[in-house]
Amino acid sequence: MPRLALALPLLLLAACGADGPPVPPTKAATAPTSLHLSGEARIGLVKGLD
């Protein structure tokens, strides 16, 4: 049990981002997306549909 008590703070420190601030991915690292959504939604009564 004492080993776990000593290892727990070390694991928490390693998981908290102590290695430095977060760095966003570069443009080259992101994959291009080819998803396009479009459409129309209506709720309720609609009068005069074309």
Side-chain angles (χ1 to χ4, degrees), residues 4-39:
L4 181 62
L6 292 174
L8 185 61
L10 182 62
L11 291 173
L12 290 175
L13 182 63
C16 76
D19 57 340
V23 178
T26 61
K27 285 279 188 184
T30 59
T33 59
S34 61
L35 180 65
H36 178 74
L37 297 174
S38 65

Side-chain angles (χ1 to χ4, degrees), residues 39-50:
E40 182 177 326
R42 295 182 186 194
I43 299 175
L45 299 174
V46 180
K47 186 176 180 182
L49 287 174
D50 293 289

